[in-house]
Amino acid sequence: MENYRVLPESQIDLSKFETRYQGEISKKDGKASLKEYSKTLRDLQELLFAEHQQKILIVLQGIDTSGKDSTIRHVFGKVNPQGTKVANFKVPTSRELDHDYLWRVHPHTPGKGEVVIFNRSHYEDVLVVRVHQLVPQEVWEKRYDHINAFEKLLADEGTTILKFFLYISKQEQAERFLARLDRPHKRWKFNPDDLKERDYWEDYRAAFEDMLSRTSTDVAPWYVVPSDRKWYRNLVVASVIVEKLQSLNMQSPAEVPDIDSYRAQLTEMIQGDPA
């Protein structure tokens, strides 16, 4: 999976990356592996919560229909929601616009023992803001350095950051839009404005390339995930997260002293309780 990691200071050309996995792993085997990764992730997240030392930030970015919601559901579906949060970043409110663009982001970053998933993120301010020219270039150009400094701050304070760009083809996007229309329970997700955004496909592509090239760092790496095949997208994201969590050498909290005496007390209570 390290093949999908964007090395620091790489110049990314997305035309050289695949959107559809063509390797030897079968869908059946991939789904079986994902099931095992999900169980492992559940146990690791529980350990993370119990240890209460590490902080995990997962960033998901991608064009409309790339599968951010679905990835969260399939990869994190088994974890304890007590220690896992999802933050969604929609169009900024008027109050948020009165502050710097990172002001609304920082309160959602993880505390000790937490996993936080950003469904879209602070990167919208170098993506949609750039594509639709909501601020001048001289403003958004500075934001790559701001973001790197922000993520360095989080990392210095103990946050592990993993960022995933869910990469799909233009044809796949059209097929997913059509699938939404063909399924009554999915139609609410369709917005005609999404079709208008396709006119900016190449502009978004350039913005994504700069995002990946300029903000993949040692402490906050990007992974370009082939996402036309949903099962493989989920497998890549899950395996990268599990491998990273396993590398953190998390430890269970110390046991309560004299645990055998408490066991004896509880046993006596149970035996002494009336039926």
Side-chain angles (χ1 to χ4, degrees):
M1 297 305 172
E2 281 298 305
N3 291 334
Y4 301 123
R5 179 171 178 163
V6 177
L7 298 178
E9 300 182 8
S10 298
Q11 189 58 47
I12 296 302
D13 177 356
L14 284 173
S15 68
K16 294 182 168 60
F17 286 77
E18 61 183 4
T19 62
R20 181 174 293 268
Y21 172 70
Q22 302 289 354
E24 297 179 357
I25 303 173
S26 69
K27 183 176 182 179
K28 179 180 178 181
D29 289 343
K31 285 191 168 185
S33 295
L34 176 62
K35 188 175 181 179
E36 293 305 311
Y37 276 122
S38 295
K39 292 177 183 177
T40 303
L41 181 57
R42 176 197 61 196
D43 296 340
L44 288 168
Q45 184 268 334
E46 185 174 343
L47 179 57
L48 176 90
F49 185 75
E51 183 194 47
H52 198 69
Q53 294 297 321
Q54 313 276 359
K55 315 168 192 176
I56 310 297
L57 175 61
I58 309 296
V59 175
L60 300 178
Q61 285 288 161
I63 205 87
D64 291 327
T65 76
S66 58
K68 297 177 287 294
D69 291 343
S70 180
T71 299
I72 294 169
R73 185 168 61 252
H74 285 91
V75 174
F76 293 93
K78 294 184 180 296
V79 302
N80 185 343
Q82 186 176 8
T84 307
K85 300 177 182 178
V86 178
N88 295 283
F89 294 94
K90 306 293 186 182
V91 176
T93 65
S94 58
R95 183 165 184 258
E96 289 169 341
L97 288 171
D98 284 342
H99 295 78
D100 68 88
Y101 68 98
L102 290 174
W103 179 81
R104 68 175 182 151
V105 177
H106 209 154
H108 297 284
T109 57
K112 290 180 179 179
E114 289 184 339
V115 176
V116 173
I117 306 148
F118 280 5
N119 185 343
R120 299 187 187 271
S121 67
H122 42 297
Y123 285 98
E124 294 298 301
D125 285 282
V126 292
L127 293 170
V128 65
V129 165
R130 165 180 168 169
V131 169
H132 288 282
Q133 302 177 24
L134 301 181
V135 300
Q137 181 173 351
E138 63 186 32
V139 173
W140 58 255
E141 274 281 358
K142 299 175 183 177
R143 292 179 174 176
Y144 301 108
D145 290 337
H146 297 165
I147 289 170
N148 287 337
F150 173 63
E151 292 176 348
K152 179 67 162 53
L153 165 67
L154 296 179
D156 286 347
E157 291 294 315
T159 303
T160 296
I161 305 170
L162 295 171
K163 302 179 298 192
F164 299 94
F165 172 56
L166 309 182
Y167 187 33
I168 62 171
S169 65
K170 195 173 185 180
Q171 179 179 348
E172 179 67 19
Q173 187 196 53
E175 291 176 1
R176 292 184 184 182
F177 279 143
L178 183 59
R180 287 179 180 180
L181 295 179
D182 289 342
R183 299 171 186 169
H185 67 287
K186 291 285 189 180
R187 287 175 187 163
W188 67 270
K189 298 186 73 174
F190 179 76
N191 184 339
D193 288 340
D194 292 338
L195 298 184
K196 297 177 183 178
E197 285 294 287
R198 284 169 62 84
D199 294 337
Y200 299 94
W201 188 271
E202 293 305 319
D203 295 324
Y204 273 110
R205 182 193 198 81
F208 282 127
E209 287 176 343
D210 278 350
M211 175 193 78
L212 297 165
S213 300
R214 299 176 67 171
T215 63
S216 192
T217 63
D218 288 329
V219 298
W222 276 108
Y223 291 81
V224 179
V225 183
S227 299
D228 280 2
R229 297 185 186 275
K230 299 174 184 178
W231 65 269
Y232 189 71
R233 172 202 67 204
N234 299 335
L235 180 61
V236 171
V237 173
S239 63
V240 170
I241 294 172
V242 165
E243 183 177 340
K244 188 62 180 180
L245 288 176
Q246 289 174 329
S247 75
L248 296 180
N249 193 30
M250 295 181 289
Q251 303 295 319
S252 296
E255 292 182 353
V256 176
D258 200 18
I259 196 169
D260 287 338
S261 68
Y262 291 108
R263 182 181 291 110
Q265 288 180 49
L266 287 166
T267 301
E268 184 177 343
M269 290 176 188
I270 293 169
Q271 292 174 344
D273 283 342

